[in-house]
Amino acid sequence: MVNVLIGIISGLVSGMGMGGGTILILCLSLFMGIDQHTAQGANLVFFIPTSLVSIATNIKKKIIKWKTGFIVARMSV
């Protein structure tokens, strides 16, 4: 039950754009007794599907500024 609750809370916080990974790592470390490195690994796995859903949603809503994104990506290389 605690696992499900942690997943729901971190998912909701992540969906609001506030960094659900921070909540996930904290909850896994404090309440589940998982060491920090394993919790961070779980956070990386958690990040992939939430990022993909976010990107797909923003593409569907047509709110991505592709030109700006390509300019910023080009500058960071």
Side-chain angles (χ1 to χ4, degrees):
M1 183 67 179
V2 175
N3 294 343
V4 173
L5 188 60
I6 290 171
I8 290 171
I9 291 170
S10 61
L12 288 172
V13 171
S14 178
M16 291 186 281
M18 295 194 288
T22 305
I23 302 297
L24 182 65
I25 293 170
L26 182 66
C27 289
L28 288 175
S29 297
L30 291 179
F31 301 122
M32 300 299 295
I34 296 174
D35 68 295
Q36 181 183 351
H37 290 102
T38 305
Q40 287 174 325
N43 180 48
L44 290 174
V45 172
F46 174 79
F47 176 75
I48 294 168
T50 56
S51 297
L52 293 175
V53 169
S54 176
I55 290 168
T57 302
N58 288 326
I59 288 172
K60 186 176 180 180
K61 291 182 178 182
K62 298 181 181 180
I63 59 175
I64 294 179
K65 295 180 181 180
W66 293 101
K67 185 176 180 181
T68 305
F70 287 128
I71 291 170
V72 171
R74 180 73 178 163
M75 290 172 54
S76 66
V77 174

